[in-house]
Amino acid sequence: MRIVLGLIFFLSMQVMAQAGKMQIHSEILNDDINLQIKLPETYGHSSDFRYPVLVVLDGSTQFEHIAANVGFLSSYAIIPELIVVGVSSNNRLKSFTPTQLEQFKDRSGGAENYRQFLETELLSSLGQKYRIADYHILSGHSMAGLFSSYVALTPDTRFNAAISISPSLWWDNDWLVRESAKLAVAKRTKPMRWFLSMASEPNEMASAFAAQITQLQNTLGNSPSVKPPSTQMLQWFDKRFPEETHDSTPLIGNVEALKTLFANWNAVPEIAVMPLKALKQFYHQQTAVFGYEFPLSAQQYNVYGLKASYEQKTAWGVEILQEGTKVFPMSEVLWDSLATAYDLDGQTALAIDASNKAVQLAKQSDSVFLNEILSQAKSLQGKTRQ
């Protein structure tokens, strides 16, 4: 396989995403909720492109590593580019448990209220401030993993996918495990993709998880990870990380969860490149799997366009990157990649024009890629003097 140095450089740089904090007041919870927001690096490159949202529970501890890994994975088009939102909870026991126990009276059993907060107030607030798409993912660990499991099994949830890392399914004598027998087969209007994992936890953590897997197998059959995918509306996936502890497993667990939930989502994982029309057909066909049609993102235009160009399908690469610069006109990376594609296609004058645009945008945004973009511009200008 050919090693494409230019492509590797642009895809392996640390993603410098925009980040911020905000606070919203919840009427449902009668509480002020702190949020951390990380936008994709490409967010400012378009005025109308909308991004799916990943809501991270226990945001004060889980947000940073998940947001960083989302940036890395999406830069290679392994997963979509996502707006990552960390949500801090002021009362984990009450917010994340679906039933009230006598010994925790008034301090447990608030999961349904918390779900209503997330799906109405939070998503509405985000939609007013950011360009969010109608595709939402929820991630939780431990007690928050119990909650994300509860959401995954709720038929009318607004979430499209859920991640449950070492979920506390033992709560209330495995209440959710028992309820899942009927919830898993309840009628849904859109697909739900649910990833569950367990680390090296002993005792009730492990036994409840095993019981949940058995219940899902009995109700829905084996997960798609061990059988061909079916058309059922609740798709579930499970993995175990025996070398991880309860505290360490969120790091690898969320990475594996995202890769699993979006398995086969990358149209060109290796070098079998596609023209633009085939790429759009590929993602249109994925609508049945995800319940949402993902438009091509800036990172996808860049990855697929450069791969096509370096695999000697330069006309394909030019077409892909031309459209990319129309959808994301402020992307210095896409303009620079288009210059590369034009150059490989023997269109030096157009390559110089695209490179000049890339230089202009890179200087305006103080891009981390400025030196490399200037280097290509200098190389292209040198060709005109030969």
Side-chain angles (χ1 to χ4, degrees):
M1 182 186 302
R2 197 188 286 99
I3 302 298
V4 183
L5 295 178
L7 177 60
I8 289 174
F9 168 77
F10 276 113
L11 298 185
S12 60
M13 287 292 293
Q14 176 69 37
V15 176
M16 304 297 289
Q18 306 170 60
K21 297 179 180 180
M22 62 183 287
Q23 185 180 85
I24 62 172
H25 179 74
S26 169
E27 296 292 339
I28 294 173
L29 303 177
N30 190 27
D31 200 1
D32 294 323
I33 307 298
N34 292 321
L35 308 176
Q36 298 179 76
I37 315 289
K38 184 156 286 189
L39 303 177
E41 179 190 6
T42 63
Y43 189 85
H45 296 165
S46 169
S47 61
D48 54 9
F49 189 85
R50 294 184 175 274
Y51 295 83
V53 175
L54 170 58
V55 175
V56 178
L57 301 175
D58 290 331
S60 57
T61 57
Q62 305 299 334
F63 171 77
E64 290 291 346
H65 71 87
I66 292 177
N69 284 322
V70 165
F72 178 81
L73 292 171
S74 63
S75 71
Y76 284 87
I78 296 169
I79 65 171
E81 294 182 69
L82 306 172
I83 295 175
V84 184
V85 180
V87 184
S88 297
S89 174
N90 297 331
N91 191 333
R92 297 180 76 251
L93 185 64
K94 185 170 185 177
S95 297
F96 297 154
T97 52
T99 59
Q100 184 174 136
L101 298 187
E102 183 62 32
Q103 61 266 45
F104 301 111
K105 190 174 182 180
D106 300 325
R107 294 189 292 121
S108 60
E112 181 56 25
N113 270 356
Y114 199 74
R115 183 178 76 86
Q116 293 297 329
F117 153 68
L118 292 178
E119 298 186 12
T120 57
E121 294 177 323
L122 174 66
L123 293 180
S124 176
S125 294
L126 293 172
Q128 292 171 15
K129 188 174 178 64
Y130 302 106
R131 301 192 309 272
I132 66 171
D134 193 23
Y135 195 87
H136 316 114
I137 310 166
L138 180 66
S139 174
H141 165 246
S142 194
M143 273 294 182
L146 169 67
F147 176 79
S148 64
S149 300
Y150 171 76
V151 171
L153 288 164
T154 300
D156 63 347
T157 179
R158 286 188 65 188
F159 285 94
N160 305 79
I163 298 170
S164 304
I165 307 299
S166 292
S168 299
L169 295 167
W170 50 265
W171 175 262
D172 195 1
N173 296 314
D174 300 2
W175 179 86
L176 189 59
V177 175
R178 290 181 275 111
E179 287 295 301
S180 68
K182 62 182 180 182
L183 292 174
V185 295
K187 184 177 180 180
R188 294 173 178 267
T189 59
K190 62 182 180 182
M192 162 59 71
R193 295 170 71 78
W194 180 24
F195 176 94
L196 311 87
S197 71
M198 184 58 56
S200 59
E201 294 93 344
N203 305 325
E204 69 270 14
M205 285 285 292
S207 61
F209 183 84
Q212 181 65 87
I213 300 305
T214 299
Q215 184 67 264
L216 290 170
Q217 290 172 332
N218 292 340
T219 306
L220 300 175
N222 287 329
S223 75
S225 59
V226 294
K227 71 168 187 176
S230 71
T231 57
Q232 64 193 24
M233 297 295 273
L234 176 59
Q235 294 278 315
W236 65 279
F237 312 84
D238 69 299
K239 286 193 176 182
R240 286 175 168 80
F241 305 106
E243 296 182 358
E244 302 297 328
T245 67
H246 189 70
D247 293 333
S248 70
T249 192
L251 181 62
I252 187 173
N254 277 281
V255 170
E256 289 301 313
L258 290 167
K259 288 166 60 180
T260 300
L261 292 176
F262 290 100
N264 303 316
W265 184 83
N266 187 346
V268 187
E270 298 296 345
I271 59 173
V273 295
M274 296 183 186
L276 183 61
K277 182 178 179 180
L279 288 170
K280 292 185 174 182
Q281 289 175 339
F282 175 88
Y283 286 104
H284 178 70
Q285 292 168 353
Q286 295 295 311
T287 305
V289 176
F290 294 100
Y292 175 77
E293 184 166 356
F294 290 93
L296 290 176
S297 69
Q299 298 286 19
Q300 288 172 290
Y301 281 117
N302 193 50
V303 170
Y304 301 152
L306 282 176
K307 280 189 174 181
S309 297
Y310 284 123
E311 291 303 318
Q312 301 179 347
K313 297 291 186 180
T314 53
W316 292 2
V318 166
E319 182 186 28
I320 293 166
L321 289 161
Q322 281 178 334
E323 181 168 293
T325 58
K326 291 176 182 177
V327 179
F328 298 93
M330 301 302 291
S331 171
E332 79 281 12
V333 171
L334 283 174
W335 281 105
D336 190 68
S337 295
L338 178 57
T340 299
Y342 277 139
D343 185 38
L344 291 171
D345 198 45
Q347 301 186 64
T348 304
L350 290 176
I352 291 173
D353 289 343
S355 180
N356 288 340
K357 181 67 173 179
V359 170
Q360 176 190 356
L361 292 171
K363 288 181 176 179
Q364 288 175 355
S365 62
D366 193 24
S367 172
V368 295
F369 300 113
L370 178 59
N371 287 342
E372 290 70 27
I373 290 171
L374 288 172
S375 177
Q376 171 157 256
K378 182 178 179 181
S379 175
L380 290 170
Q381 291 292 344
K383 290 186 178 184
T384 64
R385 296 191 292 269
Q386 292 177 358

